[in-house]
Amino acid sequence: MRVIDSHTAGEPTRVVLDGGPDLGSGTLAERAARLEVEHLDFCASVVLEPRGHDAIIGALLVPPSNPDCVAGVIYFNNLQNLGMCGHATIGLGVTLAHLGRIGPGRHKFETPVGVVEIDLIDANTVSVVNIESYRLAKDVTLEVEGIGPVTGDVAWGGNWFFLVKNSPVALTGANIRPLTDLTLKIRDALEKAGVTGKDGAWIDHIELFGPAEDPSAQSRNFVLCPGGAYDRSPCGTGCSAKLACLAADGALAPGEDYLQESVIGSTYKISYQPGPGGGVIPTITGQAFVTSDANLIFNPADPYRAGIRL
Ligand code: PYC
């Protein structure tokens, strides 16, 4: 199975070029559901140890059902599928350019939550125009165990997010463990309080904000991903959810640039245009770099060929 690894602003992506499971026909959302339910071993074998680690996002290329799209793509992590993934879409654009499959300019990808468009600006720089993003609830206050009340917004950016404006823990590399513990507690508190995304969807990403270290950035974030890893990048879908909140609060004008810094100090330039459904159409610009071009080997005698799942 040939894979290309890259990182976007520090966050890893593994694009699976061939050798993935047969997902049959149907919409991309139907094929993604089949991947998640029927091919857990495949996903785990690609992203988990001993071949991967908990931060890697897999990107399985599949034929698009929309003829306008260069490719269909299903993103998955160490736990489940993702609806969309901003950093992995930047990584996918750079990977396809590295392979000579796309050139500079605009290209569309079909994801389970809709069509996204990229602009390949140069070999390493990509802008992603994401699906329409929106805020579902403002100022939801939760009682978080050992912390007290925490207030945040619920928003959709291709995944569901709970966004907390002022992190009670400083957003530094030295605090990754306490930040992870805090965000896991917030996620538990959301579940206990029955706070969900639309149609009862699990809010699986938690995003904390604080002051940026880079003087040209407006904000720094820490993002907890569904499987418990933190996002090394500023999180493309998290930035989309944030843009929806900034727009709803009248805190950022359409087309105005905003620099979002991650907990490791990497940045995305982000902006939005008003969306047809009352939300926002986010644009996320960042850089990715290819780190390896490899063949994964699945030896039937290897007891951990399908990944280590504890
Ligand atoms: O960039 O959207 C993103 C993302 C989601 C989870 C990890 N990265």
Side-chain angles (χ1 to χ4, degrees):
M1 181 186 299
R2 186 174 174 205
V3 299
I4 306 263
D5 287 353
S6 62
H7 77 83
T8 307
E11 179 73 353
T13 303
R14 175 163 287 170
V15 177
V16 180
L17 294 174
D18 55 41
D22 178 5
L23 299 176
S25 56
T27 65
L28 201 57
E30 286 164 345
R31 285 180 279 157
R34 237 169 263 144
L35 176 72
E36 193 171 70
V37 173
E38 295 168 19
H39 300 284
L40 198 62
D41 274 3
F42 161 80
C43 297
S45 69
V46 171
V47 295
L48 289 189
E49 294 177 30
R51 290 184 196 82
H53 55 84
D54 64 353
I56 291 192
I57 301 293
L60 176 64
L61 293 183
V62 295
S65 50
N66 181 328
D68 295 342
C69 296
V70 191
V73 57
I74 303 169
Y75 296 117
F76 55 93
N77 63 15
N78 52 346
L79 191 69
Q80 59 183 34
N81 287 350
L82 292 172
M84 223 307 270
C85 185
H87 91 266
T89 304
I90 295 171
L92 176 59
V94 165
T95 293
L96 294 181
H98 168 81
L99 292 169
R101 294 193 187 178
I102 60 170
R106 297 198 162 256
H107 308 278
K108 288 182 177 160
F109 298 127
E110 190 175 353
T111 79
V113 296
V115 172
V116 299
E117 187 169 47
I118 65 156
D119 185 8
L120 179 67
I121 296 165
D122 62 38
N124 299 105
T125 313
V126 170
S127 284
V128 179
V129 181
N130 196 7
I131 49 125
E132 184 159 2
S133 303
Y134 61 94
R135 179 162 72 186
L136 184 70
K138 179 180 165 64
D139 287 344
V140 177
T141 299
L142 305 163
E143 194 54 38
V144 179
E145 192 205 321
I147 306 286
V150 171
T151 300
D153 293 355
V154 177
W156 168 253
N159 298 299
W160 283 103
F161 287 82
F162 187 70
L163 303 95
V164 177
K165 265 192 200 124
N166 299 308
S167 173
V169 174
L171 305 182
T172 62
N175 279 346
I176 296 296
R177 192 65 253 168
L179 288 164
T180 303
D181 291 346
L182 167 64
T183 45
L184 286 168
K185 280 185 183 170
I186 294 175
R187 200 169 69 182
D188 283 351
L190 284 165
E191 281 176 43
K192 278 204 194 99
V195 178
T196 67
K198 199 171 156 209
D199 300 328
W202 182 39
I203 301 173
D204 53 5
H205 290 75
I206 310 296
E207 190 168 3
L208 307 173
F209 297 97
E213 285 187 4
D214 177 342
S216 57
Q218 279 90 338
S219 157
R220 173 175 270 239
N221 70 7
F222 172 90
V223 180
L224 176 78
C225 297
Y230 74 96
D231 197 332
R232 279 69 171 159
S233 82
C235 190
T237 51
C239 285
S240 301
K242 170 158 185 174
L243 285 165
C245 297
L246 288 171
D249 287 336
L252 189 72
E256 194 180 330
D257 284 339
Y258 188 99
L259 202 66
Q260 180 66 55
E261 184 181 69
S262 74
V263 70
I264 69 162
S266 57
T267 54
Y268 286 159
K269 189 173 82 174
I270 64 176
S271 63
Y272 74 92
Q273 290 297 331
V280 300
I281 305 290
T283 298
I284 313 295
T285 303
Q287 285 205 311
F289 295 86
V290 169
T291 52
S292 75
D293 180 342
N295 281 298
L296 303 186
I297 293 170
F298 298 86
N299 183 337
D302 177 356
Y304 296 112
R305 66 187 170 282
I308 300 173
R309 275 176 281 170
L310 298 174

